[in-house]
Amino acid sequence: MTELLFILGLFFLIAGAEMLVRGASGLAVAAGVAPLIIGLTVVAFGTSSPELAVSAMSAMSGHADIALGNVVGSNIFNVLFVLGLSALVVPLVVSRQLVRLDVPLMITISVLLLLIGLDGKISRLDSLFLSAGLVGYMAFLFYQNKRNNRETAANHKETTLQNPTSKPRSCAAYVFSIAGGLILLVVGSRWLIDGAVVFATRLGVSELVIGLTIVAAGTSLPEAATSVVAGIRGERDIAIGNIVGSNIFNILFVLGLSGLFSPDGINVAPAALNFNIPVMIAVAVACLPVFFTGYTIARWEGFLFLGYYAAYTAYLFLFASAHSALPAFSRVMLMYVIPLTVLTFLVMVVRAICNGNRNNCPEPE
């Protein structure tokens, strides 16, 4: 029975992602909203619904610390695994708005989460502040879209007046597709998580490792399925916007709402402050040089992200089991792998800046 639910969950994820991408891209065209805005809002909110369900339920049941681990783990998974896998399947073109606004915002709120958690707790006041930040972010996105697409909005209004019956029906169909896709994504991810937990338990893996890896990764499976399918279908703004938007939603909305539900706020464990949240910040910062250089995410960069997620997961397993290979593994990562990666990114950024300056210079007469 577990194996059947696992397979059905995978099928529901793929089908739900296809419906969500079709509906979201169609709604963007019908409503005159840019696909990137749809990806950053509607799709990101929908694919973050498993994180919201898990975190809110844990907060209301008195286990609010699970909410923090779920959000932090999901944000790391979204960038390293989901973005890496999407770029490995189809190289992705990055919108300039992401580099100038949304990725810096993702980095800022990740650092903000670390700062408000330094006292060991995210209070209800902190949670209210995070939730208010999401409202302001969404209002700014739609204001910016309206300002940048006034001509498109005017054409859309004229079309609606000329053909008042067809447009509502098409919009309703897109909304139905989005809703149906979200339902399939949530159900599919739930079945897939349940099956994965059973498999992990059979293998004798500890509950700590299951929580840090399978639960966080499982609640991010909708993002993975949606971004990969969106990339294959050519909706690359939705593919990348979904990931960045989901990370912003996870901190501002999922963690904010969970903190409001929790009677005593959300406890921030020392391990989260000393390791997991800094890793989440480092992963967010790593997006900037990758996105900035040519405004594309190449396949090798996607492979690099996947490799780092494999290393992060391996570290969690080694640490949880107190394996003898942990010191050697940590030494190799800190002394060789991470410095070489940072050096590579610095060279890429310097080359991109030099090429940009060269292109902007007037040609000699």
Side-chain angles (χ1 to χ4, degrees):
M1 187 62 180
T2 301
E3 292 80 0
L4 177 61
L5 288 179
F6 187 86
I7 295 173
L8 284 176
L10 183 61
F11 173 77
F12 274 25
L13 276 177
I14 296 173
E18 177 71 15
M19 290 181 64
L20 184 61
V21 172
R22 282 180 179 272
S25 59
L27 186 63
V29 175
V33 178
L36 176 62
I37 304 298
I38 293 292
L40 286 168
T41 53
V42 177
V43 179
F45 177 81
T47 54
S48 291
S49 55
E51 286 94 334
L52 178 60
V54 171
S55 297
M57 187 64 67
S58 63
M60 288 187 292
S61 60
H63 301 284
D65 53 335
I66 298 177
L68 179 66
N70 180 36
V71 167
V72 173
S74 295
N75 280 15
I76 295 172
F77 183 87
N78 283 346
V79 173
L80 294 184
F81 185 86
V82 178
L83 188 61
L85 181 63
S86 301
L88 196 62
V89 173
V90 180
L92 302 174
V93 179
V94 181
S95 167
R96 291 180 182 268
Q97 176 183 325
L98 284 171
V99 178
R100 295 173 179 173
L101 172 66
D102 300 295
V103 172
L105 178 62
M106 179 176 69
I107 297 171
T108 301
I109 63 173
S110 298
V111 174
L112 178 63
L113 177 61
L114 178 64
L115 294 177
I116 65 177
L118 288 176
D119 60 352
K121 178 174 290 189
I122 300 174
S123 65
R124 281 189 167 180
L125 182 61
D126 295 331
S127 302
L128 184 62
F129 175 74
L130 292 175
S131 301
L134 176 66
V135 175
Y137 172 64
M138 291 186 65
F140 174 78
L141 284 179
F142 283 103
Y143 167 77
Q144 186 183 49
N145 179 79
K146 184 178 180 180
R147 186 188 62 182
N148 294 340
N149 297 281
R150 286 178 179 174
E151 291 184 3
T152 304
N155 293 335
H156 169 67
K157 186 179 293 185
E158 290 178 5
T159 305
T160 304
L161 292 175
Q162 292 173 1
N163 194 359
T165 57
S166 61
K167 188 62 66 175
R169 281 203 298 266
S170 62
C171 287
Y174 295 139
V175 171
F176 176 79
S177 180
I178 292 174
L182 290 177
I183 293 173
L184 290 179
L185 284 171
V186 173
V187 174
S189 62
R190 181 72 268 164
W191 288 351
L192 206 64
I193 292 171
D194 291 342
V197 170
V198 171
F199 294 152
T201 305
R202 290 176 183 174
L203 296 173
V205 181
S206 69
E207 292 184 2
L208 173 62
V209 174
I210 292 174
L212 288 171
T213 55
I214 294 179
V215 173
T219 54
S220 291
L221 285 176
E223 285 93 334
T226 300
S227 291
V228 171
V229 171
I232 294 174
R233 289 180 52 83
E235 300 289 349
R236 300 180 185 184
D237 277 346
I238 290 180
I240 304 176
N242 168 47
I243 295 169
V244 176
S246 292
N247 280 14
I248 294 173
F249 266 74
N250 283 344
I251 295 177
L252 296 182
F253 184 65
V254 175
L255 207 54
L257 200 62
S258 300
L260 292 175
F261 283 154
S262 177
D264 301 320
I266 298 176
N267 294 323
V268 182
L273 285 174
N274 297 330
F275 179 69
N276 292 291
I277 296 180
V279 169
M280 181 185 70
I281 295 172
V283 165
V285 172
C287 288
L288 269 183
V290 173
F291 288 10
F292 174 72
T293 50
Y295 294 95
T296 57
I297 308 175
R299 281 193 170 94
W300 75 267
E301 292 169 327
F303 182 79
L304 181 66
F305 274 8
L306 286 173
Y308 265 108
Y309 185 74
Y312 170 73
T313 306
Y315 178 85
L316 291 179
F317 274 89
L318 293 174
F319 181 81
S321 60
H323 200 278
S324 59
L326 179 61
F329 180 84
S330 302
R331 199 176 306 115
V332 170
M333 292 298 296
L334 291 174
M335 295 181 63
Y336 298 101
V337 178
I338 295 178
L340 285 174
T341 304
V342 172
L343 180 62
T344 302
F345 281 161
L346 287 176
V347 171
M348 290 168 56
V349 170
V350 171
R351 284 183 176 177
I353 294 174
C354 291
N355 291 335
N357 292 335
R358 191 179 301 119
N359 293 334
N360 291 332
C361 291
E363 296 186 7
E365 297 180 358

